[in-house]
C-alpha cells in the first residue's frame, strides 16, 4: 500500500516575465511506514514537491494522493492526516515552547496530554525550557520544537523539508534517531535534504536535479548501479592535478571531494600504474591512487552528467 502517489506532476513559476520549470513530470510512490528521502541541491525542486503534496500550492499538471486523499480535491481532510515541518523555522517566536505546542494541539482539537506519548522522547529534551520564548532557542531546540508541533495531532504522514539544514552535527544525528523511532510507530516520513550522506539513513531515495527525478531506489541499489570504476586520487598540487586529469582524454569525469579528486575513466581497464605514470609525467609528486566504492554523491554526479 502506498501512502503517497505522484503521477506526472509538473509545476512552473513566473520570474521576471519568464516561465521557469520547477518540476518536470514527477512520478513516485512512497510505501506505508517508510522513510523516503528526496535528495538534491538547492533549487532542484524539493520544496515545490513537498508544498504540492501538503496542498499548499497547486500543480500545473498531473495528480497526487496522500493517504488516498487527492491533494487538490480533498485538501481539508488531507491536512488533518499529515504533519508538515517547513525548511524555515515558522513557529511563533514570541510564544513560549509550551504555548506553541498548546496552540498547534488546539488547532487539531487535541491536547498535549492526549498525544504526549508521540512526542515524549523529543519533547523531554526541550521541556526544561518550556517557558522560554521560541525565538530564543538554539537551532537544535527549534528543530525539536517544530517536530513536536508537527506530530502533536498524530499524523499518518510526516513531511519534513530540509529539517537538518543549519543545525550542528550532533543535532543532525539525534534528529535521524528520532525519525527511526517515529517510523517504528507506523508513521510514513517524507524528508528532503541537500546532504547526500543522509541518503543512507533512508529506506528509499529519489535523486532530483533541475526538477527531474534521476533515480528512485534503495540507497545501496543506487550505489550498485554506478557505471564503471571509481578512483580517489591525491597529489601535492591539487589544483594542477584537477586540470591535468580533466585534460586527459581517458578521463570521463573528475570532481573534488575534500582533499581527494574522484575520477572515472572512459575505459574500464586502466591500472594504478598507468595513472601513476601519466601524473608523474605531468610533474606531480606525493601521488596517492586508490580504487574506491562510490558514494551516493558520486552516483548523483554521474547521473547528472548522463542526464
Amino acid at each position: 500500500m502506498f501512502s503517497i502517489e505522484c503521477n506526472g506532476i509538473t509545476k512552473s513559476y513566473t520570474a521576471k516575465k519568464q516561465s521557469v520549470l520547477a518540476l518536470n513530470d514527477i512520478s513516485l510512490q512512497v510505501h506505508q511506514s517508510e522513510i523516503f528521502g528526496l535528495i538534491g541541491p538547492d533549487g532542484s525542486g524539493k520544496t515545490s514537491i513537498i508544498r504540492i503534496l501538503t496542498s499548499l500550492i497547486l500543480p500545473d499538471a498531473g495528480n497526487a494522493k496522500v493517504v488516498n486523499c487527492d491533494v487538490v480535491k480533498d485538501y481539508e481532510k488531507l491536512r488533518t492526516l499529515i504533519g508538515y515541518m517547513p525548511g524555515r523555522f515558522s513557529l511563533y517566536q514570541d510564544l513560549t515552547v509550551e504555548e506553541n505546542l498548546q496552540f498547534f494541539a488546539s488547532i487539531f482539537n487535541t491536547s498535549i496530554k492526549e498525544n504526549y506519548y508521540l512526542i515524549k522522547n523529543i519533547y523531554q529534551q526541550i521541556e526544561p525550557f518550556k517557558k522560554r520564548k521560541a525565538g530564543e532557542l538554539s537551532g537544535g531546540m527549534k528543530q525539536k520544537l517544530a517536530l513536536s508541533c508537527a506530530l502533536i495531532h498524530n499524523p499518518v504522514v510526516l513531511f519534513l523539508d530540509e529539517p537538518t539544514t543549519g543545525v550542528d552535527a550532533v543535532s543532525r544525528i539525534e534528529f535521524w534517531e528520532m525519525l527511526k523511532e517515529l517510523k517504528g510507530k507506523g508513521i510514513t516520513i517524507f524528508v528532503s535534504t541537500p546532504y547526500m550522506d543522509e541518503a543512507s539513513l533512508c529506506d528509499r531515495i529519489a535523486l532530483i536535479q533541475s526538477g527531474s527525478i534521476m533515480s528512485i531506489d534503495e540507497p545501496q541499489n543506487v550505489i550498485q548501479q554506478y557505471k564503471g570504476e571509481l578512483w580517489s586520487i591525491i597529489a601535492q598540487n591539487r589544483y594542477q592535478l584537477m586540470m591535468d586529469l580533466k585534460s586527459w582524454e581517458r578521463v570521463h569525469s573528475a570532481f573534488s571531494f575534500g582533499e581527494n579528486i574522484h575520477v572515472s575513466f572512459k575505459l574500464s581497464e586502466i591500472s594504478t600504474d598507468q595513472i601513476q605514470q601519466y601524473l608523474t609525467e605531468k610533474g606531480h609528486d606525493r601521488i596517492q591512487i586508490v580504487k574506491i566504492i562510490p558514494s551516493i554523491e558520486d552516483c548523483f554526479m554521474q547521473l547528472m552528467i548522463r542526464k
Side-chain angles (χ1 to χ4, degrees):
M1 179 180 177
F2 296 125
S3 289
I4 301 170
E5 295 181 77
C6 284
N7 298 296
I9 292 292
T10 299
K11 181 66 179 178
S12 296
Y13 299 103
T14 301
K16 297 180 180 179
K17 298 182 180 180
Q18 291 186 333
S19 180
V20 178
L21 184 63
L23 298 176
N24 182 22
D25 193 25
I26 299 294
S27 296
L28 56 84
Q29 293 82 36
V30 178
H31 299 289
Q32 187 175 354
S33 301
E34 80 169 337
I35 300 177
F36 187 91
L38 188 62
I39 318 293
D42 292 344
S44 58
K46 303 187 300 297
T47 296
S48 292
I49 291 177
I50 288 180
R51 287 180 176 172
I52 287 172
L53 293 176
T54 53
S55 76
L56 295 177
I57 60 174
L58 298 174
D60 297 334
N63 60 81
K65 287 186 176 182
V66 178
V67 201
N68 211 31
C69 294
D70 187 283
V71 297
V72 177
K73 299 175 183 177
D74 307 318
Y75 70 92
E76 289 184 341
K77 181 182 178 182
L78 170 65
R79 291 178 183 181
T80 67
L81 299 173
I82 62 172
Y84 171 50
M85 182 175 162
R88 292 184 62 184
F89 183 71
S90 57
L91 302 183
Y92 294 97
Q93 306 218 28
D94 56 342
L95 295 183
T96 67
V97 168
E98 188 175 42
E99 287 169 343
N100 266 290
L101 198 54
Q102 288 174 340
F103 173 74
F104 279 90
S106 67
I107 288 176
F108 293 99
N109 296 316
T110 187
S111 65
I112 298 174
K113 182 179 180 181
E114 185 176 348
N115 290 324
Y116 187 74
Y117 71 98
L118 274 172
I119 65 169
K120 179 180 177 181
N121 292 341
I122 305 166
Y123 188 61
Q124 279 182 337
Q125 300 176 49
I126 57 174
E127 199 164 15
F129 311 98
K130 64 182 181 181
K131 299 301 181 183
R132 183 177 296 182
K133 289 186 177 181
E136 298 173 358
L137 297 174
S138 67
M141 287 184 181
K142 285 180 178 178
Q143 178 197 61
K144 293 179 178 70
L145 176 57
L147 182 58
S148 296
C149 290
L151 288 168
I152 196 59
H153 61 293
N154 193 15
V156 180
V157 179
L158 181 63
F159 290 95
L160 307 169
D161 190 4
E162 299 193 5
T164 57
T165 299
V167 299
D168 61 87
V170 174
S171 293
R172 281 177 63 191
I173 294 170
E174 290 177 348
F175 191 84
W176 279 95
E177 289 299 322
M178 295 175 201
L179 296 189
K180 289 179 183 178
E181 290 181 14
L182 294 172
K183 175 194 170 183
K185 294 177 181 177
I187 297 176
T188 302
I189 299 169
F190 189 101
V191 55
S192 72
T193 177
Y195 300 126
M196 300 288 169
D197 61 315
E198 293 184 342
S200 62
L201 304 173
C202 302
D203 298 315
R204 290 191 306 131
I205 58 172
L207 300 181
I208 184 170
Q209 169 67 6
S210 300
S212 296
I213 299 289
M214 299 189 295
S215 177
I216 301 178
D217 212 326
E218 296 177 12
Q220 194 56 42
N221 291 342
V222 172
I223 290 172
Q224 290 174 356
Q225 291 163 16
Y226 188 88
K227 305 295 184 183
E229 297 176 335
L230 187 66
W231 301 78
S232 175
I233 303 177
I234 301 175
Q236 187 173 16
N237 189 332
R238 185 167 166 274
Y239 174 79
Q240 191 58 46
L241 174 64
M242 175 65 84
M243 294 300 101
D244 289 336
L245 285 169
K246 285 191 170 183
S247 64
W248 193 10
E249 67 275 4
R250 299 189 67 174
V251 168
H252 179 257
S253 67
F255 295 101
S256 293
F257 281 75
E259 295 181 351
N260 306 276
I261 296 176
H262 289 192
V263 185
S264 64
F265 292 88
K266 295 175 183 177
L267 298 176
S268 58
E269 294 184 3
I270 190 167
S271 67
T272 303
D273 290 341
Q274 289 173 306
I275 301 171
Q276 180 84 33
Q277 180 181 350
Y278 170 80
L279 294 177
T280 301
E281 289 174 355
K282 290 291 184 178
H284 293 280
D285 55 9
R286 299 183 185 178
I287 303 166
Q288 298 179 36
I289 305 167
V290 181
K291 190 183 294 186
I292 60 172
I293 297 173
S295 65
I296 291 293
E297 190 167 356
D298 292 309
C299 297
F300 186 95
M301 300 303 287
Q302 186 179 76
L303 287 167
M304 191 172 68
I305 292 172
R306 286 165 57 187
K307 291 290 181 180

